[in-house]
Amino acid sequence: SQTIHQWPATLVQPVGSPLSLECTVEGTSNPNLYWYRQAAGRGLQLLFYSVGIGQISSEVPQNLSASRPQDRQFILSSKKLLLSDSGFYLCAWSVRLGAKNEQYFGPGTRLTVT
Amino acid sequence: AQKVTQAQTEISVVEKEDVTLDCVYETRDTTYYLFWYKQPPSGELVFLIRRNSFDEQNEISGRYSWNFQKSTSSFNFTITASQVVDSAVYFCALSGPSGGSYIPTFGRGTSLIVHP
């Protein structure tokens, strides 16, 4: 069966510090991978998605970047965090090919920038 | 463009009541997919159901049921005899070709609170 891992689970970082959040998927190959942010108020904001190694699409220009160094690894980074980067970060995967594929989400990372 | 509207921001019920969560969508695609996800207090979104645009048959899974009506562009979710464990935020989502690379569009979610 497939599983998705995210770490760390919680993180408190000062403004201006770097960030690295990691997501890995097990039990599947060539997944689509996604990073979402959920700020207070519940809405899900798609940040990045990837359809393959080294292929990253950015949905919202901002202080963050993403990389996919391996097929089942997706990393979210920032060189200098802003207060507005606080939120709940969710990684997700889906099987490729078409619109019918549901997404499976990781447990999330709760980031507080102080 | 695609759009999903969950007009109910928060619903509060007492255990054993039935509750319906509304979802209205907009799309110009003829083939598309609709989804419901549950986000319990732990935070992880859990996939509940997928429905394609050509299948308007309602679905029931235990206490959960889904009513898809193409004529009104709605895909509503009903929980029968609600329980405290049903307390969560529920998201409706839509995926189709016009969404760009089949990236799903999520509604803003409905927070369901079930009181004992």
Side-chain angles (χ1 to χ4, degrees):
Chain A
S1 64
Q2 301 88 7
T3 55
I4 179 169
H5 303 280
Q6 278 187 252
W7 64 91
T10 60
L11 193 58
V12 179
Q13 293 282 95
V15 169
S17 64
L19 173 73
S20 181
L21 303 181
E22 190 163 342
C23 170
T24 59
V25 181
E26 295 177 356
T28 187
S29 297
N30 303 317
N32 283 345
L33 294 172
Y34 311 81
W35 277 112
Y36 288 89
R37 178 169 60 199
Q38 189 177 29
R42 292 196 310 275
L44 287 169
Q45 179 186 31
L46 178 65
L47 302 175
F48 303 94
Y49 69 93
S50 171
V51 299
I53 296 175
Q55 299 178 61
I56 309 294
S57 296
S58 174
E59 290 294 301
V60 182
Q62 54 201 322
N63 187 40
L64 302 169
S65 62
S67 62
R68 185 170 177 173
Q70 300 179 41
D71 181 46
R72 289 169 288 179
Q73 184 184 29
F74 205 22
I75 297 172
L76 182 69
S77 304
S78 174
K79 291 182 179 178
K80 286 186 178 182
L81 284 169
L82 306 173
L83 283 174
S84 58
D85 291 324
S86 292
F88 189 52
Y89 288 81
L90 287 158
C91 181
W93 73 272
S94 69
V95 175
R96 288 189 179 182
L97 304 176
K100 68 176 182 179
N101 296 304
E102 61 273 14
Q103 292 176 309
Y104 295 94
F105 287 80
T109 295
R110 198 163 300 279
L111 171 66
T112 303
V113 182
T114 60
Chain B
Q2 297 180 150
K3 186 178 179 182
V4 176
T5 302
Q6 294 181 257
Q8 303 151 309
T9 303
E10 183 176 297
I11 300 175
S12 183
V13 300
V14 177
E15 210 169 16
K16 297 184 183 178
E17 284 185 33
D18 298 347
V19 58
T20 296
L21 310 180
D22 298 333
C23 173
V24 175
Y25 62 92
E26 296 175 28
T27 181
R28 62 173 184 265
D29 296 328
T30 53
T31 300
Y32 53 88
Y33 292 83
L34 295 161
F35 309 84
W36 274 96
Y37 292 86
K38 174 182 179 179
Q39 186 179 34
S42 60
E44 178 178 341
L45 270 80
V46 177
F47 164 71
L48 295 178
I49 190 172
R50 177 187 69 217
R51 174 66 69 206
N52 76 58
S53 53
F54 295 106
D55 182 2
E56 290 194 67
Q57 196 169 18
N58 291 332
E59 181 154 343
I60 298 174
S61 175
R63 296 184 297 106
Y64 294 175
S65 62
W66 290 270
N67 182 3
F68 175 34
Q69 292 198 334
K70 227 170 171 178
S71 59
T72 56
S73 297
S74 65
F75 185 42
N76 297 336
F77 174 28
T78 297
I79 301 175
T80 302
S82 60
Q83 299 176 1
V84 172
V85 293
D86 296 326
S87 297
V89 180
Y90 292 86
F91 290 92
C92 180
L94 165 69
S95 181
S98 67
S101 301
Y102 300 102
I103 301 298
T105 299
F106 282 83
R108 289 190 56 78
T110 296
S111 177
L112 173 64
I113 302 170
V114 182
H115 299 280

